[in-house]
Amino acid sequence: MTDDAEIPEDHPRHDSLVTRHRIEDGVEMGITSQQGLIAQGRGEAFDYLLGERTIPSADDAERAAAAALLAAEHPVLSVNGNVAALVPGELVTLAEATGADLEVNLFNRTAERMQAIADHLREHGAEEVKGLAADAQIPGLSHERAKVDRDGIYEADTVLVPLEDGDRAEALGEMDKTEIVIDLNPLSRSAQVATIPVVDNAVRAVPGITEHARELADADEATLREIVDEFDADAALAAAEDAIRDGDLD
Ligand code: ATP
Ligand code: MG
């Protein structure tokens, strides 16, 4: 296992290298798929162009995401092999801060990987991990890619899906759910179909949403709904695209 501490804190690409090593470790542990490595590479390129920071429109999206999760009757955080490797403890903390369930949901589903991720989340403090029952299906997708838990993603009113495949993001959106997508590419179909697209690195976005959830913990439902309603997804995507195209990388 690569130790985060091996990378000097003052290395100019410190955060990016730590992130990359976590994904490599994820592959070694059987948590992250080989395709996950490719997804990571795509993400890094966009993050570089964004200046590896949470841009203001992404921070607004993280606040709206926190409000949506807190206002939800049944929020679920979908966990794939990349975020399980990158931010397992942070996902458990976000689930606790918002009363959400955690559900393992894989594009390349294998029994071994499902189990390895569920175990990894438990090692990071998760009590209940859904996704292994797989007793329901997202309509409009082929069998393997559609599998979810009935009392989890299937019945959820609000779902957070980090780095989701475009087709699945679209199919979930058609189930009338409030869909929060974390994706560094504002042109990705997943980001485009989201109710709340968060164009930020999952490494920053997940703790960012938690921080907002803590600030909003005592807000009443009307206030939370207003924050969600006022959020403008198209404007957020446009702001992210502008930041990428015009960024001066200071
Ligand atoms: P499309 O959405 O355009 O159909 P895709 O979803 O099939 O493409 P992938 O390469 O599978 O393409 O998707 C990976 C997505 O995840 C990319 O958009 C990439 O920017 C994003 N991504 C990768 N790592 C991270 C990360 N750490 N945080 C946020 N987003 C990430
Ligand atoms: Mg995508």
Side-chain angles (χ1 to χ4, degrees):
M1 235 224 227
T2 326
D3 191 346
D4 286 0
E6 282 170 24
I7 302 159
E9 287 275 352
D10 61 351
H11 190 291
R13 309 213 47 74
H14 175 271
D15 291 357
S16 158
L17 291 174
V18 168
T19 305
R20 192 178 290 182
H21 286 309
R22 286 201 193 144
I23 293 283
E24 285 173 18
D25 290 342
V27 174
E28 268 174 37
M29 288 188 284
I31 284 173
T32 312
S33 69
Q34 305 253 4
Q35 282 89 342
L37 290 169
I38 297 168
Q40 167 68 19
R42 290 183 75 177
E44 277 184 18
F46 286 104
D47 207 14
Y48 190 95
L49 294 171
L50 282 166
E52 293 172 347
R53 71 199 155 108
T54 301
I55 59 173
S57 56
D59 185 55
D60 289 346
E62 285 162 22
R63 184 162 182 264
L69 290 168
L70 288 169
E73 295 258 315
H74 184 184
V76 176
L77 313 182
S78 174
V79 181
N80 66 19
N82 282 58
V83 286
L86 291 174
V87 282
E90 291 86 342
L91 284 165
V92 174
T93 307
L94 176 58
E96 282 166 5
T98 57
D101 286 337
L102 290 162
E103 177 163 342
V104 185
N105 185 244
L106 302 180
F107 185 73
N108 300 296
R109 186 187 177 98
T110 66
E112 296 74 28
R113 230 155 52 78
M114 293 293 294
Q115 194 61 54
I117 294 175
D119 291 346
H120 190 61
L121 290 171
R122 287 198 191 95
E123 278 161 28
H124 284 83
E127 281 178 11
E128 204 197 338
V129 180
K130 294 193 162 143
L132 298 157
D135 52 356
Q137 293 200 24
I138 304 169
L141 292 176
S142 65
H143 185 67
E144 274 306 299
R145 294 169 57 208
K147 286 182 177 174
V148 287
D149 277 17
R150 179 163 299 279
D151 66 354
I153 289 176
Y154 189 82
E155 283 176 351
D157 57 347
T158 301
V159 193
L160 175 114
V161 280
L163 292 71
E164 182 55 281
D165 162 75
D167 271 1
R168 294 211 305 177
E170 203 162 0
L172 276 174
E174 274 163 24
M175 288 176 83
D176 265 345
K177 299 183 191 300
T178 299
E179 188 175 16
I180 304 160
V181 168
I182 300 173
D183 195 316
L184 279 159
N185 177 4
L187 301 173
S188 157
R189 274 186 307 145
S190 329
Q192 303 263 343
V193 299
T195 324
I196 304 176
V198 178
V199 183
D200 197 8
N201 197 318
V203 168
R204 297 185 300 267
V206 172
I209 298 170
T210 302
E211 208 179 303
H212 283 295
R214 289 194 170 132
E215 280 161 21
L216 293 169
D218 298 325
D220 57 26
E221 186 162 340
T223 309
L224 296 172
R225 300 259 174 227
E226 200 180 312
I227 294 169
V228 177
D229 290 345
E230 276 173 3
F231 176 77
D232 183 339
D234 292 333
L237 291 171
E241 193 179 334
D242 281 352
I244 286 170
R245 290 189 189 279
D246 306 332
D248 52 14
L249 298 181
D250 274 349

